[in-house]
Amino acid sequence: MEAISLIGPNTEALLLENQDNFLVPADNVATVMYQHSLDHALLVLTNVGYSKIPVLDKDDRFMGLIGLNDIVQKMVSLTTIDTDHLAGLTVADVMEIGVDTVREDAALEDILHLLVNNAFLPMVDDQRIFLGIITRKEILKCTNHLVHELERQYLLVPKQPGGSDTETATDGLKVS
Amino acid sequence: MEAISLIGPNTEALLLENQDNFLVPADNVATVMYQHSLDHALLVLTNVGYSKIPVLDKDDRFMGLIGLNDIVQKMVSLTTIDTDHLAGLTVADVMEIGVDTVREDAALEDILHLLVNNAFLPMVDDQRIFLGIITRKEILKCTNHLVHELERQYLLVPKQPGGSDTETATDGLKVS
């Protein structure tokens, strides 16, 4: 089945004009291994200053996400907060699995939708090898570019509502 | 000095068409008071599941932000992680100050730029009373709407490059 894009070609081109910044490549992303201790993961997260980072296996396959919250929750019992509760636990025990990911050929459409509910999206290849992340921050940069350039580069002519012009213009598009 | 918007009127109208969801009002935002203990702030942050929340004073004035990271960093000494290090500290001791905020009449332009480097923006009135937050998530929703509707509602006619049309179109705009 052929995917039908609901995003117009001029819009997509403008949004992606600075696409070299779109993906944060794996080399620039802080990660932990799933067999690492939670103590170690806590130190990594604290050092990098992010609230959530990807979890990989020894072959760089994407396994899930781990956040400061996941770890601190393990430290909190009914009335006390104690790092002793972390003893013996690994990243694999608390990481978030079933995380939304995208492939290299993901449609902009899908990326934008998934980023509404995810602060970032891990990108993986067909072996689940971790390639990097797409962040809301990078999309925000592209959105800035789009909204600034749109009416500098194009004259926006309203389409006739309900008329035959509209029929032609939306030809091939499925409007939900 | 009059502010010159670099975002075209049709673009802005489309982006803000669902604006009722733009601001997350103060009543729906988890906050802590600046004189609260760090133990308390840690429990609040863990319960709400956010990595960073606003800090208010007793009159609901916005004072800064506090994140899980700020607190965990206080727990970490050279070789150990211990909640004992939190004893006696309050939110005011570790919160982030000098945070970017916006007013109710903020230009979309400024909001979009500030959100590139901030996951959310506190909105305050002229007494610094906290009104709520604008999040990247809400902007992503609006971006989705914009890119889906743009070429359904408008025909994009390229402006003449290098011609006098362009001169007119960019009149008054400073292009960096």
Side-chain angles (χ1 to χ4, degrees):
Chain A
M1 205 179 77
E2 205 183 330
I4 299 168
S5 175
L6 299 177
I7 300 176
N10 297 309
T11 309
E12 182 154 343
L14 261 184
L15 199 61
L16 297 179
E17 213 163 34
N18 292 335
Q19 207 204 346
D20 48 314
N21 286 326
F22 210 64
L23 177 75
V24 181
D27 285 350
N28 298 345
V29 181
T31 59
V32 287
M33 305 267 278
Y34 75 97
Q35 74 271 37
H36 278 158
S37 72
L38 283 191
D39 279 356
H40 175 76
L42 185 63
L43 288 173
V44 171
L45 279 161
T46 310
N47 280 329
V48 299
Y50 293 117
S51 55
K52 208 178 262 195
I53 56 178
V55 179
L56 308 183
D57 73 2
K58 63 177 172 37
D59 299 316
D60 287 340
R61 270 188 294 259
F62 176 77
M63 307 293 283
L65 298 174
I66 189 158
L68 265 181
N69 235 309
D70 303 316
I71 302 175
V72 174
Q73 258 166 7
K74 283 287 167 190
M75 291 161 45
V76 175
S77 67
L78 282 178
T79 50
T80 64
I81 305 167
D82 196 332
T83 51
D84 288 351
H85 300 141
L86 302 186
L89 291 175
T90 67
V91 169
D93 295 318
V94 303
M95 71 182 181
E96 184 185 339
I97 56 175
V99 174
D100 290 324
T101 58
V102 290
R103 297 291 186 83
E104 279 178 286
D105 61 354
L108 177 62
E109 179 104 33
D110 297 330
I111 292 171
L112 288 180
H113 271 295
L114 289 170
L115 281 174
V116 170
N117 290 317
N118 296 280
F120 63 89
L121 287 172
M123 185 179 279
V124 296
D125 70 10
D126 52 9
Q127 309 295 312
R128 304 273 301 160
I129 302 293
F130 177 66
L131 301 176
I133 57 175
I134 297 178
T135 63
R136 282 182 180 154
K137 178 188 176 121
E138 297 306 317
I139 300 292
L140 251 295
K141 285 186 195 169
C142 294
T143 300
N144 269 293
H145 180 72
L146 169 69
V147 299
H148 283 91
E149 287 299 312
L150 183 59
E151 296 186 54
R152 284 192 58 228
Q153 297 190 19
Y154 293 99
L155 192 66
L156 269 57
V157 181
K159 292 180 177 176
Q160 203 65 32
S164 59
D165 268 351
T166 307
E167 292 303 306
T168 312
T170 58
D171 186 35
L173 299 188
K174 208 169 180 176
V175 181
S176 61
Chain B
M1 206 181 76
E2 206 182 331
I4 299 168
S5 176
L6 299 178
I7 301 176
N10 297 309
T11 309
E12 181 155 344
L14 261 183
L15 199 63
L16 296 179
E17 211 163 35
N18 293 335
Q19 208 206 345
D20 48 315
N21 285 327
F22 211 63
L23 176 76
V24 180
D27 285 350
N28 298 344
V29 181
T31 59
V32 286
M33 306 267 277
Y34 75 96
Q35 73 271 39
H36 278 158
S37 72
L38 283 191
D39 279 356
H40 175 77
L42 185 63
L43 287 172
V44 171
L45 279 160
T46 310
N47 280 328
V48 298
Y50 293 116
S51 56
K52 208 178 262 196
I53 57 177
V55 178
L56 308 184
D57 73 2
K58 64 177 171 36
D59 299 315
D60 287 340
R61 270 188 295 258
F62 176 77
M63 306 292 283
L65 298 175
I66 190 159
L68 264 181
N69 235 310
D70 304 316
I71 301 176
V72 174
Q73 259 167 6
K74 284 286 168 191
M75 292 161 47
V76 175
S77 67
L78 281 179
T79 51
T80 64
I81 306 169
D82 197 331
T83 50
D84 288 352
H85 300 141
L86 302 186
L89 291 177
T90 66
V91 169
D93 294 318
V94 304
M95 70 182 182
E96 185 184 336
I97 56 174
V99 174
D100 289 324
T101 58
V102 289
R103 298 291 185 86
E104 278 178 286
D105 61 355
L108 176 62
E109 179 104 31
D110 297 330
I111 292 171
L112 289 180
H113 272 295
L114 289 170
L115 281 174
V116 169
N117 290 317
N118 297 279
F120 63 89
L121 287 172
M123 185 179 279
V124 297
D125 69 10
D126 51 10
Q127 309 295 312
R128 304 274 303 161
I129 302 294
F130 176 66
L131 302 175
I133 58 175
I134 296 178
T135 63
R136 282 182 181 155
K137 178 190 176 120
E138 297 305 319
I139 300 293
L140 252 293
K141 286 186 193 169
C142 294
T143 300
N144 268 295
H145 179 73
L146 169 70
V147 299
H148 282 90
E149 287 299 312
L150 183 60
E151 295 187 54
R152 284 191 57 229
Q153 296 190 20
Y154 294 97
L155 193 66
L156 267 58
V157 181
K159 293 181 178 176
Q160 204 64 31
S164 58
D165 268 348
T166 307
E167 292 302 305
T168 312
T170 57
D171 185 36
L173 299 187
K174 209 169 182 174
V175 180
S176 61

